[in-house]
Amino acid sequence: MGAVIRAEAADIPDDSALRTPDRLRRRASRLLSQLTMRSDRLITEGLARTGARKWHYAVLASLQEYGPGSQAELSRRSGIHRSDIVGVLNELAERHLVERAPDPADRRRNIITISPRGRRHLRLLDKILDGLDDEVLAPLSQAERDQFVRLLGRLLDHHTGTS
C-alpha cells in the first residue's frame, strides 16, 4: 500500500494538463499539499542557483532574530532534525556564514553565531525569497497575500501548539 501511495504522489498531474475533479479542488488539505509541492520545488531551485538551501536560510534567520545558540537550540528554532543540524552548520561554517566557539558555560558544546558575511548572505536570500514568494502568490493582491500568510500562520500555530 505504501508503495502505491508514493507512486501516486510522484506522478501527480498538473491541473492545467488534466481537469481535476471539483471534489478534489474543494479539499483544503489537497490544495495545501499541491501548493506546497510546487512552492517547495520553486524555492529549492531558486535558492540552489546561489548555492543555498532552505535549511541554510532557516539557521541564518534564527541566528539573526534570536541570537547565538547551541546546536540543540538551533535544531529546535529552525525545525531541522538534530541529526541533520551538524551537516547544515558545517556547510555554513565552510562558507564563513557562521562562527563556532566553545560555550563558556559548558566546554563540551559550541555556540553558533551568525558572521557579518552570514548577515549579508541572509539579506541576499531574503531578496531571492521575496521574489519567489511573489511568484507563488502572483494571482493575489497584497491584501490577500497578507491575509493568506496570517491564516496560514494561525493554522500552523494551532496544529503545532504554538501561539
Side-chain angles (χ1 to χ4, degrees):
M1 177 84 172
V4 171
I5 292 171
R6 278 193 301 277
E8 289 173 2
D11 196 31
I12 294 173
D14 185 358
D15 282 346
S16 63
L18 194 61
R19 248 192 82 104
T20 301
D22 285 340
R23 72 177 351 125
L24 294 178
R25 291 198 51 87
R26 288 191 310 260
R27 295 284 172 209
S29 57
R30 182 174 191 280
L31 293 171
L32 284 169
S33 175
Q34 296 289 298
L35 183 58
T36 297
M37 285 189 317
R38 284 164 174 76
S39 174
D40 190 50
R41 185 178 316 125
L42 182 71
I43 300 302
T44 298
E45 291 170 0
L47 289 175
R49 288 192 286 268
T50 66
R53 298 187 306 130
K54 292 180 300 183
W55 296 129
H56 295 168
Y57 182 78
V59 168
L60 293 173
S62 172
L63 288 169
Q64 179 67 27
E65 186 164 338
Y66 297 115
S70 68
Q71 290 177 184
E73 287 172 311
L74 288 171
S75 173
R76 284 189 299 276
R77 289 188 215 165
S78 64
I80 301 171
H81 195 274
R82 289 177 77 129
S83 64
D84 297 326
I85 193 77
V86 173
V88 173
L89 292 173
N90 287 342
E91 292 171 5
L92 293 171
E94 287 170 9
R95 297 175 186 177
H96 306 287
L97 301 175
V98 299
E99 298 166 350
R100 288 183 172 129
D103 183 345
D106 183 351
R107 292 283 201 210
R108 294 172 296 171
R109 70 178 179 182
N110 288 317
I111 296 296
I112 314 303
T113 306
I114 190 170
S115 69
R117 185 174 180 175
R119 283 187 191 85
R120 287 189 302 274
H121 190 65
L122 180 60
R123 285 192 298 272
L124 170 67
L125 296 180
D126 278 332
K127 288 178 186 175
I128 291 168
L129 288 170
D130 287 346
L132 295 169
D133 281 351
D134 285 344
E135 194 172 331
V136 169
L137 302 174
L140 304 179
S141 70
Q142 188 59 53
E144 290 170 325
R145 291 174 188 204
D146 294 343
Q147 181 181 25
F148 183 64
V149 170
R150 277 193 311 275
L151 291 171
L152 286 174
R154 241 172 78 195
L155 288 168
L156 185 60
D157 288 348
H158 171 79
H159 290 285
T160 59
T162 59
S163 54

